[in-house]
């Protein structure tokens, strides 16, 4: 365990030692990560020894990812010519079914998602049959397996391993911009700074990373998801003007309670401050602000690029909902796609029963009236 997170210079140097690389490709990440590290070291974060260790690891991962991407750009210069056409973004508040629909939409062999291990260690995606021989892949898989054993409640909320298609905030954090940081710690100065940022540079690097990772799969459509996309629609449409957006909708009372529970489980034992009411107030403010920002920005763009999904309708019939998305965007819903989507849906309903995820707004100092007013 650690007494503090460490300095910006210290963490950057640790990333250099870990990777053996030193080219960060500029300094557009520096302002945000410096401010974040200052907040994490401040009393307002209230980090424990364990929290210092884990938060340091998260920040170091942002440095490591940036170094690896920059190395990949140099090693594979043809990445910059890789087309990204009509990428599909799944957006919505946390706990609105974004993970489930994301995994169904990537069942199509003509689509590609961002696998967790490649979001941590960006590189051209190797052939699938070689992954189990890759030490980086195996290390990440083992780490998540251990995490789920130690934190069974978290497994019941959001299962992950190295192969799962995951959120792309790990790419965005390479430029120091990510709401993931404020979802896992009390970082008020960083949060205030982040709310004022133009996300366009982050999405430009996001696109470059997708081009690098998809270098061996240039014919496949990207399907991506991340709650932080709610904060950055203008940047998305600047960098990906032909993007297709699926927005998931669920009663915010349920979504916010579940999101708070996810933050609490993910950070248990890491802070004496980021608990209870603090989690409730910070997550409600941040998520409602992002939601409003997305709604205001959406009015400026072609309605044909957006499709809305009601959570209850999706849960009732995931396969039909998937087909409706295809039809809305003029994508080819073939019998093969239908079969693969159904197989993934059936698989998600089988196997051992995961621990039940229970939560309450009151645990986080919130009421239904407060949440409804914020939205």
């Amino acid at each position: 365990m650690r007494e503090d997170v460490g300095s910006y210079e210290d963490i950057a140097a640790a990333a250099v030692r870990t990777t053996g690389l030193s080219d960060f490709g500029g300094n557009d990440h520096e302002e945000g990560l410096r401010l974040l590290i200052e907040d994490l070291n401040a009393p307002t974060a209230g980090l424990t020894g364990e929290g210092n260790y884990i938060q340091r690891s998260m920040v170091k991962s942002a440095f490591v990812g940036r170094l690896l991407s920059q190395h990949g750009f140099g090693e594979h210069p043809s990445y910059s010519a890789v087309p990204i056409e009509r990428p599909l973004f799944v957006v919505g508040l946390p706990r609105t079914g974004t993970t489930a629909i994301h995994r169904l939409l990537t069942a199509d062999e003509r689509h590609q998602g961002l696998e967790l291990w490649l979001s941590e260690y960006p590189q051209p995606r190797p052939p699938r049959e070689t992954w189990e021989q890759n030490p980086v892949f195996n290390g990440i898989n083992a780490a998540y397996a251990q995490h789920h054993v130690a934190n069974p409640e978290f497994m019941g909320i959001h299962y992950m391993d190295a192969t799962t298609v995951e959120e792309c905030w790990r790419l965005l954090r390479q430029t120091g911009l990510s709401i993931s940081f404020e979802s896992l710690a009390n970082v008020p100065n960083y949060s205030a700074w982040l709310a004022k940022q133009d996300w366009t540079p982050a999405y430009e690097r996001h696109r470059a990373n997708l081009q690098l990772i998809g270098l061996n799969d240039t014919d496949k459509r990207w399907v991506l998801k991340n709650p932080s996309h709610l904060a950055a629609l203008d940047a998305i449409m600047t960098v990906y003007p032909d993007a297709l957006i699926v927005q998931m909708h669920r009663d915010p009372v349920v979504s916010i309670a579940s999101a708070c529970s996810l933050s609490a489980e993910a950070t248990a034992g890491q802070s004496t401050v980021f608990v209870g009411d603090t989690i409730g107030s910070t997550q409600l403010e941040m998520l409602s602000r992002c939601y409003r920002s997305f709604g205001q920005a959406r009015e400026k763009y072609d309605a044909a690029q957006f499709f809305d999904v009601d959570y209850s309708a999706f849960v009732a019939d995931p396969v039909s909902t998937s087909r409706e998305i295809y039809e809305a965007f003029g994508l080819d819903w073939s019998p093969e796609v239908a079969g693969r989507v159904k197989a993934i849906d059936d698989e998600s309903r089988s196997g051992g029963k995961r621990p039940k995820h229970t939560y309450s707004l009151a645990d986080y100092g919130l009421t239904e009236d407060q949440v409804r007013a914020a939205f």
Side-chain angles (χ1 to χ4, degrees):
M1 299 301 102
R2 295 182 57 92
E3 294 184 359
D4 58 26
V5 170
S7 69
Y8 175 95
E9 287 75 16
D10 172 41
I11 302 173
V16 169
R17 289 193 301 271
T18 295
T19 60
L21 304 171
S22 59
D23 181 9
F24 285 101
N27 62 358
D28 60 337
H29 61 295
E30 187 169 337
E31 182 180 6
L33 292 182
R34 280 192 181 278
L35 188 56
L36 173 68
I37 292 166
E38 289 175 7
D39 259 7
L40 291 172
N41 280 314
T44 47
L47 295 183
T48 63
E50 178 185 2
N52 285 321
Y53 174 79
I54 292 175
Q55 291 295 332
R56 176 188 172 87
S57 296
M58 283 194 60
V59 177
K60 180 184 171 184
S61 289
F63 285 111
V64 167
R66 187 174 176 103
L67 285 166
L68 291 170
S69 291
Q70 203 62 38
H71 177 72
F73 299 155
E75 288 287 297
H76 307 278
S78 61
Y79 85 92
S80 62
V82 172
I84 297 183
E85 298 176 352
R86 301 184 79 202
L88 204 160
F89 287 81
V90 177
V91 305
L93 293 172
R95 322 308 300 159
T96 57
T98 55
T99 296
I101 193 67
H102 182 216
R103 292 176 182 175
L104 293 183
L105 294 173
T106 53
D108 189 334
E109 291 185 326
R110 298 165 299 181
H111 291 170
Q112 60 182 317
L114 181 62
E115 293 87 359
L116 189 149
W117 79 289
L118 295 175
S119 72
E120 293 271 11
Y121 288 81
Q123 60 187 286
R125 184 185 291 108
R128 178 63 183 87
E129 63 271 16
T130 69
W131 292 7
E132 277 72 15
Q133 286 75 54
N134 188 301
V136 171
F137 172 86
N138 287 326
I140 293 176
N141 226 12
Y144 277 95
Q146 179 63 33
H147 173 76
H148 289 314
V149 169
N151 301 274
E153 178 69 16
F154 187 89
M155 177 183 174
I157 302 172
H158 185 82
Y159 178 81
M160 295 183 292
D161 62 32
T163 68
T164 55
V165 289
E166 273 298 324
E167 296 174 353
C168 40
W169 58 263
R170 293 174 180 84
L171 301 183
L172 295 169
R173 70 181 177 182
Q174 290 187 16
T175 47
L177 276 66
S178 177
I179 67 171
S180 64
F181 295 122
E182 53 184 330
S183 298
L184 298 170
N186 188 46
V187 285
N189 295 320
Y190 175 80
S191 294
W193 173 84
L194 186 61
K196 300 175 183 177
Q197 297 310 300
D198 174 7
W199 289 68
T200 304
Y203 278 90
E204 289 172 342
R205 190 172 182 90
H206 177 275
R207 182 187 180 97
N209 269 285
L210 296 185
Q211 290 175 299
L212 175 67
I213 295 167
L215 186 60
N216 298 326
D217 300 287
T218 58
D219 58 335
K220 295 186 177 183
R221 182 192 311 278
W222 276 102
V223 182
L224 306 151
K225 80 103 172 177
N226 190 358
S228 71
H229 294 323
L230 289 173
L233 182 58
D234 285 331
I236 291 172
M237 299 305 272
T238 297
V239 177
Y240 302 101
D242 59 352
L244 307 174
I245 313 287
V246 175
Q247 184 173 6
M248 304 294 291
H249 298 272
R250 188 182 187 184
D251 183 350
V253 167
V254 180
S255 298
I256 295 300
S258 188
C260 288
S261 177
L262 179 62
S263 289
E265 288 295 333
T267 59
Q270 296 179 28
S271 172
T272 59
V273 172
F274 193 67
V275 295
D277 292 8
T278 299
I279 290 178
S281 61
T282 57
Q283 300 314 291
L284 178 61
E285 190 283 325
M286 181 262 289
L287 291 170
S288 62
R289 170 170 38 84
C290 292
Y291 186 85
R292 291 192 301 272
S293 172
F294 184 89
Q296 292 164 3
R298 177 173 166 170
E299 296 176 2
K300 297 183 288 186
Y301 302 104
D302 184 356
Q305 290 180 256
F306 296 82
F307 186 78
D308 296 287
V309 174
D310 175 74
Y311 175 81
S312 298
F314 168 62
V315 171
D317 195 340
V319 177
S320 291
T321 299
S322 301
R323 185 187 70 246
E324 290 168 4
I325 292 170
Y326 271 67
E327 292 172 348
F329 293 140
L331 308 180
D332 178 26
W333 179 262
S334 65
E336 291 76 18
V337 171
R340 291 184 66 84
V341 170
K342 185 177 186 305
I344 294 293
D345 182 50
D346 289 345
E347 181 183 352
S348 72
R349 300 169 188 270
S350 64
K353 187 176 182 181
R354 293 178 183 166
K356 183 175 175 57
H357 176 207
T358 58
Y359 48 84
S360 166
L361 280 176
D363 294 338
Y364 307 100
L366 299 175
T367 66
E368 289 192 15
D369 288 344
Q370 281 179 286
V371 174
R372 296 200 189 284
F375 285 87

